[in-house]
Amino acid sequence: MDRIRIRGGAPLHGLIPISGAKNAALPLMIASLLTEDTLELGNVPRLADISSLLRIMSNFGVDHSIAGRRPGQSTETGQTIRLTARNVIDTTAPYELVSTMRASFWVIAPLVARFGHAKVSMPGGCAIGTRPVDLLIMALAKLGAAIEIEAGYVVATAPKGLRGAEIDFPKVTVGGTHVALMAATLAQGTTVIRNAAREPEVVDLAECLIKMGAKIQGAGSSEIVVEGVTSLHGASHDVMPDRIETGTYAMAVAMTGGDLVLDNTRADYLQAALDVLGQAGAEVTSTHGGIRIRRNGNGLMPVDVTTDPFPGFPTDLQAQFMALMTRANGTSRIRETIFENRFMHVQELARLGAQIRLDGDSAYVDGVPGLKGAPVMATDLRASVSLVIAGLVADGETTINRVYHLDRGFEALEAKLARCGALIERVRG
């Protein structure tokens, strides 16, 4: 099993190209099931989760091709994938496939919307909490799908098609909004989605669906209105830049010091996190096509944060920010309101010398003068990269095990950091 080895103490300088967003690419790929025509997606990151979803789509009979590398491209720049769901041979997604990636459950929406039936395995547990799919099922039921639970599978049927409806989510749900949006595009009549997720990834999906012929208004606000159409057609769409990758590298340079340009990204996708970095002592400025992060030798200031749905502070940057606060001059409070059990990185950060106390949904981080390298274990995707950030400043050597978590969500992580001065390498298992 691969490991990542880091020797801390090197500031970061240079430029990092930001990859396409995994959290946008996955629903966009699933949206290809809504049409028999080809959907071409550019700027798709090279990640384990993308490969997993391609296997699931192939199981349905979806044809896919990955365009060859164009001049000037590298393994750190996005790939182009063409998906054609003309000859879908099966509308069942088995447990052994869905269990590898929770987002694959969303295939239930385009399958029942286009074919009138779908049988998709419940995704099961998750390291960062239960993350139930009840709101996703509720949205489909509102649209007229008959729902049954059979031996761990959700069976959705709508032989006469889905019908437009009013969907009022009791809490903000990105997955529920994705499912409602995809299903409503082919429903008869008008669908109103209230308390919709406002995340940029939802907007990216809506923009792609509109290119495919969907009639959608209000994406990016808390109320989305969809006028159903009888069919969708093919389109070409580029995946938005990854705001979580952007925030992760921004926190890495805030931690190590230095001067880093993050290219091909947008500040408005993560303004809350950038504002927090400014309060902590980093200098954040916009550039043509990206963001510049600088921090000189001054110490970090403690900042209290609470995770919230967009446009609030992202839960997917909570672990990275906690790593940053381990070196702050004082105590910070980090409150997690989105997922339970999302403090699993605390014990591993403690192995590096961090001083962190847990109290319910809050973590109190007492900044320490320095961290010391040690072997640590990644527990999930975001937790694993928080250990990378801590390792970049820890005295001595830090070895991170279970890096397959990192490969799910960060494209060419060690190569991007090494090119900017980090002493980091992958050790093949």
Side-chain angles (χ1 to χ4, degrees):
M1 195 174 292
D2 289 2
R3 304 182 303 280
I4 284 181
R5 187 161 56 206
I6 306 171
R7 293 196 66 84
L12 301 178
H13 293 274
L15 181 146
I16 289 180
I18 298 301
S19 300
K22 181 196 79 158
N23 289 345
L26 297 177
L28 288 168
M29 293 168 64
I30 290 170
S32 69
L33 289 164
L34 288 165
T35 177
E36 65 175 24
D37 295 340
T38 298
L39 177 62
E40 181 180 273
L41 298 174
N43 199 36
V44 180
R46 293 171 172 83
L47 299 171
D49 275 7
I50 299 297
S51 299
S52 295
L53 184 55
L54 284 175
R55 286 194 294 272
I56 293 170
M57 303 286 279
S58 296
N59 194 63
F60 296 138
V62 177
D63 292 327
H64 77 268
S65 63
I66 299 177
R69 193 179 303 167
R70 294 190 296 271
Q73 284 189 326
S74 70
T75 55
E76 299 174 26
T77 56
Q79 58 191 337
T80 297
I81 298 179
R82 297 183 181 93
L83 298 139
T84 308
R86 180 171 294 112
N87 300 310
V88 171
I89 58 175
D90 194 1
T91 57
T92 298
Y95 174 73
E96 57 267 25
L97 295 178
V98 177
S99 63
T100 63
M101 184 178 53
R102 293 189 56 85
S104 59
F105 182 82
W106 301 344
V107 299
I108 194 170
L111 290 175
V112 72
R114 181 176 163 204
F115 300 104
H117 51 84
K119 182 179 180 181
V120 180
S121 171
M122 300 279 279
C126 179
I128 61 173
T130 55
R131 302 174 75 177
V133 295
D134 55 339
L135 296 182
L136 287 66
I137 295 171
M138 178 272 284
L140 293 176
K142 288 280 188 180
L143 293 169
I147 305 290
E148 294 183 7
I149 310 296
E150 297 179 357
Y153 282 77
V154 178
V155 181
T157 55
K160 296 182 179 180
L162 298 175
R163 301 182 307 275
E166 296 189 0
I167 301 172
D168 295 283
F169 286 118
K171 64 178 182 179
V172 175
T173 162
V174 174
T177 303
H178 282 319
V179 162
L181 197 54
M182 285 189 278
T185 59
L186 295 180
Q188 303 164 35
T190 303
T191 298
V192 181
I193 306 169
R194 297 192 179 93
N195 200 26
R198 299 161 58 189
E199 270 72 2
E201 294 81 4
V202 170
V203 177
D204 206 34
L205 174 62
E207 290 177 349
C208 181
L209 291 171
I210 290 169
K211 291 179 183 177
M212 297 168 68
K215 297 180 179 179
I216 301 169
Q217 292 183 323
S221 72
S222 57
E223 182 172 297
I224 302 174
V225 179
V226 184
E227 295 285 348
V229 297
T230 56
S231 64
L232 297 177
H233 52 71
S236 180
H237 183 80
D238 285 340
V239 179
M240 61 170 275
D242 195 323
R243 62 194 176 99
I244 304 305
E245 186 190 32
T246 303
T248 298
Y249 289 127
M251 290 182 191
V253 73
M255 181 68 134
T256 63
D259 188 340
L260 199 63
V261 172
L262 305 175
D263 197 33
N264 184 37
T265 191
R266 287 172 47 176
D268 58 320
Y269 284 165
L270 69 158
Q271 195 59 58
L274 295 177
D275 290 345
V276 166
L277 280 179
Q279 296 171 41
E283 181 183 339
V284 181
T285 55
S286 293
T287 67
H288 179 68
I291 302 167
R292 183 180 183 183
I293 312 289
R294 289 185 288 181
R295 189 175 76 82
N296 57 24
N298 295 333
L300 291 164
M301 298 300 296
V303 184
D304 296 343
V305 300
T306 297
T307 61
D308 274 314
F310 188 85
F313 189 93
T315 180
D316 281 352
L317 287 175
Q318 177 256 106
Q320 298 91 310
F321 185 70
M322 184 180 294
L324 180 65
M325 288 295 94
T326 63
R327 295 295 314 278
N329 297 320
T331 300
S332 56
R333 179 194 181 194
I334 300 172
R335 184 166 172 253
E336 174 58 61
T337 68
I338 309 298
F339 294 124
E340 72 274 28
N341 300 339
R342 204 165 199 179
F343 286 140
M344 297 181 69
H345 44 283
V346 168
Q347 295 306 317
E348 297 304 304
L349 287 172
R351 289 178 53 81
L352 301 175
Q355 299 291 322
I356 305 169
R357 295 170 286 115
L358 296 180
D359 184 6
D361 64 2
S362 296
Y364 295 87
V365 186
D366 298 322
V368 296
L371 301 173
K372 294 190 179 298
V376 290
M377 192 81 68
T379 55
D380 63 61
L381 170 56
R382 308 308 175 185
S384 58
V385 82
S386 75
L387 301 175
V388 172
I389 291 173
L392 290 173
V393 298
D395 292 338
E397 186 174 286
T398 298
T399 302
I400 302 169
N401 297 285
R402 292 185 182 169
V403 298
Y404 58 83
H405 288 295
L406 282 170
D407 295 336
R408 289 185 49 225
F410 289 93
E411 185 176 32
L413 173 106
E414 61 271 20
K416 289 182 178 183
L417 286 171
R419 194 174 58 247
C420 294
L423 303 176
I424 181 172
E425 63 178 345
R426 179 176 291 246
V427 180
R428 300 292 178 181

